[in-house]
Amino acid sequence: MYANHRGVGTRTVAGYAGDVKAVTDNGRASSPDSRADPRIGIALGSGAARGWSHIGVLRALEAMGIYPGIVAGSSIGALVGAAYAGGQLDRFQKWVESLGWRDILAYLDLSPLGGGFIQGERILAFATSHVGDVDIASLPLSFGAVATELSSGREVWLREGSLLDSIRASVALPGLFAPSRLGDRWLVDGGLVDPVPVSLCRAMGAEVVIAVNLNGDIVGKHLQNHARQRLGRRREAGADTDLWSRISRQLSKSFGERNARLLSELLGEERGAPGLFDVLATSINIMQDRITRSRMAGDPPEILLTPRLSWLGLMEFDEAGVAIEEGRASVERMRPLLEHTFDGF
């Protein structure tokens, strides 16, 4: 028996969007905040390091008295959303704000083999310690993550089972992170099919959806001059440069001269032309922007928040403070609409 909301279905287990059974909140633990409203859903979008702005968004909404009871996340949005749905956001934010680039390097188990430049096992260990490996059904808030089935390209909604497995699958950015095996399927980043999971929020029962789109102004920005100028200013000030350059320097200590030079070329440091990761980051930006536009045209949210972080690199996770503040600012820019929507809700 199927129950649809705006023509979208969902399944009680990890399943395919559009061919799935409706889920309710039966048996779910009490909310970390009794004010959480099961009619309000928040769709936290993909965007790598820009995803720390989700923390600022959630904090600003709380300050306005808005407490979503349904949380859907794609890629980095799944990680932040899991912390929020599990009542662990305070602890998670404290850790995020303490990150330096050396800490980030420590979490990157680098390898050119295994389907991705980063294997992800150390990140998985981090998630265990800061979010917890619990069953999704036991979370205080209703939670779902989006992933992509590698063999078919189908959208997969992860609503039951291990929270850790759902995060690992949703953040497996192709070419960067190795794919995740769940059951008999290989899963990769949810941003490939649904960068801002509004439809999943609706299928989980949300009547009003607040969507956070991190991809609204990013196309081409990774290669634009102002980003390069920003890095130049950081070099002049003696500050650390972008994370890929740091990785290059770190790996060069372990590699021979020829391999170190090859790595520099992959990173675009030698030729003044886009390197492998410049091309990868920009291609991902283009793809996610186009997919987001298409998906939202068919199923627009009631509230759309757009943190402006186009300057932030794919892996600059050490810029959490700035990203969180921009998340707060994106809520302030939409305050009139938020107040109008939730007045007397």
Side-chain angles (χ1 to χ4, degrees), residues 107-183:
Y107 284 108
L108 304 184
D109 39 0
L110 303 173
S111 171
L113 305 175
F117 193 68
I118 299 168
Q119 296 307 298
E121 296 306 316
R122 294 179 188 170
I123 294 175
L124 204 62
F126 142 75
T128 301
S129 61
H130 288 81
V131 177
D133 188 13
V134 299
D135 192 277
I136 292 175
S138 71
L139 294 174
L141 299 182
S142 184
F143 173 78
V146 178
T148 305
E149 186 178 45
L150 190 58
S151 62
S152 67
R154 289 181 175 178
E155 179 176 348
V156 179
W157 290 350
L158 303 169
R159 292 280 340 271
E160 286 188 351
S162 167
L163 178 65
L164 205 59
D165 286 346
S166 73
I167 295 170
R168 176 67 180 83
S170 191
V171 303
L173 193 64
L176 187 59
F177 289 98
S180 175
R181 188 174 184 85
L182 193 59

